[in-house]
Amino acid sequence: MNYFDPYRTELQLVFSEAKRRIAHFPEPFNESGLAYLRKFDVFERESSKNYICYLLPYWINETSSIPIDQCRMLSLSNVFSMLYYFLQDDVMDETPAAWKEQLALAHLCHFEMEAILRELFAASSPFWGYRQRYMNEWASAVVQEDKHDYFMTDIVQVAKKASPLKLASTGVLLLANRPEKIASVEELVDYSLVLLQMADDLTDWEDDLTEGNYNCLISLIRAKRQSIHPLQASEAESYIYDRSLMTEYCNRGKEVFGILNNAEIGIAPLLSFSYFIYEGIAGFTNRVENTRRTLLSGGFDYVLSNFQYK
């Protein structure tokens, strides 16, 4: 994984520093904070590995040149930003009884993020204007995605829930005095995040259907069925496994990757990561379609070959 392996030692330093800072939170938030961090620690076996969150400043620095300690600080800031926004998401999904500790821990993480960024950027830096814009994008996406059905109407908006992540790439470019690259890099990051969201939604569609969360795959299914009746899991499975819906879903992912692959600015690790994500969608699609074709072409012979007489 050339988007990860060259930066392994750096990430060990980043997560060690994150643990050190969280360990100094007041009780009981030091223990709960460390437990929450473990869910996303790239070095934990069962963790959710948000590579782009931790590695984006290092990837962008392949085309820029800022000191490695600044890159490390931006990665660390993104770790605390990630914890903050995931805790916010958890609060949106939890009952009010669980809000108190979640919100308190979230604000401790937010304070750490702010402290790190203030070390890197003066109050007069344009960085803070970008920060405000990314927060606005996040807030709008959280409440608007299901109303506007972004996957079907404006696919790049699917990425906006993760907009604060772009603080790392924009931060690198500002520190490197390359602000003219910011808009182009923002677009690349957004499209990479679209692919990542599509892959996550392919994994999580059943939970999202049950919980009423917006989901790109479910959006495509609903566009195909055009029914006012609630979508049931069994019907969604039929679209995914029996009706070639995955081919269209994968083709949308291919279009998104094509935008990344043909961009004027080339950021090799980001492209490699994006291709890895697209390959996961394409691999699942191929398995589904191969099974479907086997069943259709084999027909009765396939059934007989898999039936064991007793």
Side-chain angles (χ1 to χ4, degrees):
M1 298 189 293
N2 62 351
Y3 57 82
F4 170 66
D5 290 334
Y7 315 101
R8 183 182 294 271
T9 299
E10 275 297 311
L11 284 193
Q12 288 172 337
L13 294 173
V14 167
F15 275 95
S16 291
E17 178 62 11
K19 292 173 186 176
R20 187 189 71 79
R21 291 179 180 234
I22 292 173
H24 284 87
F25 285 179
E27 294 183 356
F29 303 107
N30 49 2
E31 291 186 6
S32 61
L34 288 171
Y36 200 73
L37 178 64
R38 281 195 292 273
K39 295 181 180 181
F40 306 98
D41 188 336
V42 72
F43 299 107
E44 292 285 338
R45 184 182 296 273
E46 301 299 328
S47 67
S48 175
K49 295 172 174 56
N50 296 320
Y51 292 110
I52 191 170
C53 176
Y54 327 130
L55 291 169
L56 185 59
Y58 296 102
W59 295 345
I60 303 302
N61 207 36
E62 294 289 326
T63 61
S64 305
S65 183
I66 66 171
I68 194 65
D69 62 321
Q70 290 183 334
C71 230
R72 195 177 302 143
M73 293 291 278
L74 284 168
S75 179
L76 180 64
S77 170
N78 253 21
V79 169
F80 280 106
S81 178
M82 172 198 67
L83 295 176
Y84 171 71
Y85 283 103
F86 272 112
L87 283 163
Q88 294 286 316
D89 286 345
D90 288 350
V91 167
M92 295 176 194
D93 296 334
E94 293 285 347
T95 59
W99 289 357
K100 185 182 293 186
E101 185 168 342
Q102 293 282 85
L103 286 172
L105 179 57
H107 283 288
L108 289 171
C109 291
H110 188 269
F111 177 84
E112 289 296 331
M113 176 188 69
E114 289 281 327
I116 294 164
L117 294 176
R118 285 197 299 269
E119 288 184 38
L120 293 171
F121 301 99
S124 59
S125 171
F127 174 85
W128 302 106
Y130 285 105
R131 179 177 178 272
Q132 183 63 55
R133 176 157 67 84
Y134 299 152
M135 288 183 67
N136 290 346
E137 289 176 354
W138 167 79
S140 295
V142 165
V143 299
Q144 297 290 338
E145 61 180 357
D146 55 343
K147 298 175 184 176
H148 292 283
D149 196 4
Y150 287 139
F151 185 70
M152 301 304 298
T153 61
D154 188 4
I155 196 170
V156 75
Q157 296 298 321
V158 168
K160 299 303 184 181
K161 282 198 302 184
S163 274
L165 180 149
K166 292 180 288 191
L167 284 172
S169 53
T170 296
V172 169
L173 294 171
L174 288 173
L175 290 171
N177 198 28
R178 302 300 302 271
E180 73 281 358
K181 287 187 173 184
I182 290 175
S184 296
V185 171
E186 282 178 333
E187 184 177 33
L188 290 180
V189 175
D190 277 342
Y191 278 109
S192 184
L193 289 170
V194 170
L195 276 176
L196 185 58
Q197 189 63 58
M198 289 179 67
D200 286 347
D201 286 356
L202 177 57
T203 300
D204 299 336
W205 71 263
E206 290 183 89
D207 289 339
D208 287 339
L209 181 63
T210 300
E211 296 167 9
N213 299 329
Y214 186 78
N215 180 290
C216 295
L217 184 61
I218 293 173
S219 169
L220 183 59
I221 293 171
R222 285 181 169 143
K224 293 295 181 184
R225 71 193 289 262
Q226 296 181 334
S227 171
I228 62 172
H229 300 294
L231 176 65
Q232 302 299 318
S234 58
E235 186 181 4
E237 288 178 345
S238 176
Y239 274 94
I240 294 168
Y241 295 102
D242 302 331
R243 307 191 198 184
S244 293
L245 180 100
M246 280 307 306
T247 298
E248 183 172 347
Y249 194 73
C250 184
N251 285 339
R252 297 291 297 278
K254 187 176 182 180
E255 291 171 5
V256 171
F257 180 74
I259 294 171
L260 289 160
N261 197 34
N262 295 316
E264 291 184 7
I265 295 181
I267 302 172
L270 179 63
L271 186 64
S272 175
F273 172 75
S274 301
Y275 184 67
F276 172 77
I277 299 301
Y278 166 69
E279 271 195 319
I281 298 172
F284 177 81
T285 301
N286 289 335
R287 290 191 296 274
V288 167
E289 287 302 297
N290 287 338
T291 300
R292 190 180 68 85
R293 282 192 294 267
T294 298
L295 287 168
L296 288 174
S297 63
F300 190 58
D301 290 339
Y302 180 85
V303 174
L304 288 177
S305 68
N306 287 274
F307 185 82
Q308 298 295 321
Y309 288 96
K310 294 185 179 180

